[in-house]
Amino acid sequence: MWTLFEPLHAVTYFAPQARGAFEQVGLRGFWRGYFAGRAAPLGPVGPAPVFAAFYGFTRPMVERALPSVWALAEPQQVLDARATGAGAALRELLGTAAADGAEVAEAARLCRTAAEAVEVTGRVLAAANAALPWPEDPLAALWHAATVLREHRGDGHVAALLVAGLDGCESLVWRAAVDNERRLLQPARGWSDQEWEAAEARLTARGWLHPDGGPTDLATTAREEIEARTDALAAGPWEALGSAGVARLVTLLRPIAHAAAKALPFPNPIGLSQA
């Protein structure tokens, strides 16, 4: 399910319409839009809770954006901009007829049912997004539901990483070794070579990396365990929707996700692959 709703959400980071909407409220530059857009549901917060909740970023990278972005645009302006930009991007990617069609409306209803079933205890980003008003427009509601679901899954993934004893940098070093690339992850999250190599040394001492940086069997097994725990923590919305509802939503979301993915770079630090 993540591979189907994540592309819908992610247009807010990569689509030119989304970046343009952020620029319209004074947020020039990719990272201002990213941090303001993703943090806006929390209100005009400083860097500390965002550093904690976003997990993989360096503190200085977060501090460069927050709280200074709130002097450029208030959280409600940012929320309006991210909704406008994401909606415009999806409308162009899907085409007006499909965006206003019955299948998008049905997908929005099913996604909303799932998103309204998320358990938010201990999940800060999911809770903040779930508390926002639901848009009336079906395409906007679909994007909002995808956002609630991805932050719900992300909060659970952070919990799984913490249980596994990984800090933010270690989680990225490990993922780079197992199934992603250092050249994508390190600069996108702000870690220096020294910090990255120190994390490599810690994981090597733990038995997760070979001396050449490759993943050990322990690292591969840990990936399976962490992903399984993340899946279990994310299962509630889909159990609430039911097997028939999930199957129908999969059918509806596939072409929508395929269209949305055209706005994304491949490869990417999110970990989405090009189907």
Side-chain angles (χ1 to χ4, degrees), residues 165-178 180-183 185-186 191-216 219:
L166 293 171
D167 64 28
C169 189
E170 290 167 353
S171 72
L172 297 172
V173 170
W174 160 71
R175 285 302 300 272
V178 173
N180 209 304
E181 299 180 49
R182 176 177 178 174
R183 68 178 181 86
L185 296 178
Q186 183 183 350
W191 299 98
S192 68
D193 287 343
Q194 183 178 7
E195 290 166 325
W196 189 273
E197 288 156 13
E200 282 183 327
R202 294 193 297 274
L203 290 175
T204 301
R206 187 174 173 177
W208 282 32
L209 296 183
H210 292 298
D212 65 359
T216 65

Side-chain angles (χ1 to χ4, degrees), residues 49 62-63 79 87 103 108 141 187 227 248 260 271:
V62 179
E63 290 173 344
L79 290 172
E103 292 191 343
E227 291 301 320
R248 177 58 178 162

Side-chain angles (χ1 to χ4, degrees), residues 42-170:
L42 301 170
V45 293
V50 170
F51 170 72
F54 288 17
Y55 193 73
F57 291 88
T58 62
R59 189 181 296 271
M61 189 169 180
V62 179
E63 290 173 344
R64 282 196 291 273
L66 299 170
S68 60
V69 293
W70 309 129
L72 302 172
E74 296 180 355
Q76 187 58 54
Q77 291 178 288
V78 177
L79 290 172
D80 292 342
R82 76 170 192 168
T84 297
L90 289 173
R91 181 167 294 278
E92 182 165 328
L93 290 161
L94 290 169
T96 299
D100 293 332
E103 292 191 343
V104 164
E106 184 182 358
R109 290 193 296 272
L110 291 170
C111 261
R112 178 170 179 171
T113 298
E116 287 183 328
V118 298
E119 171 55 59
V120 298
T121 304
R123 305 188 203 224
V124 173
L125 292 174
N129 281 279
L132 296 173
W134 279 93
E136 293 184 8
D137 174 67
L139 186 63
L142 179 59
W143 182 83
H144 180 61
T147 298
V148 172
L149 291 165
R150 75 91 67 170
E151 295 295 20
H152 174 260
R153 181 178 175 82
D155 286 340
H157 188 58
V158 167
L161 293 170
L162 289 170
V163 168
L166 293 171
D167 64 28
C169 189
E170 290 167 353

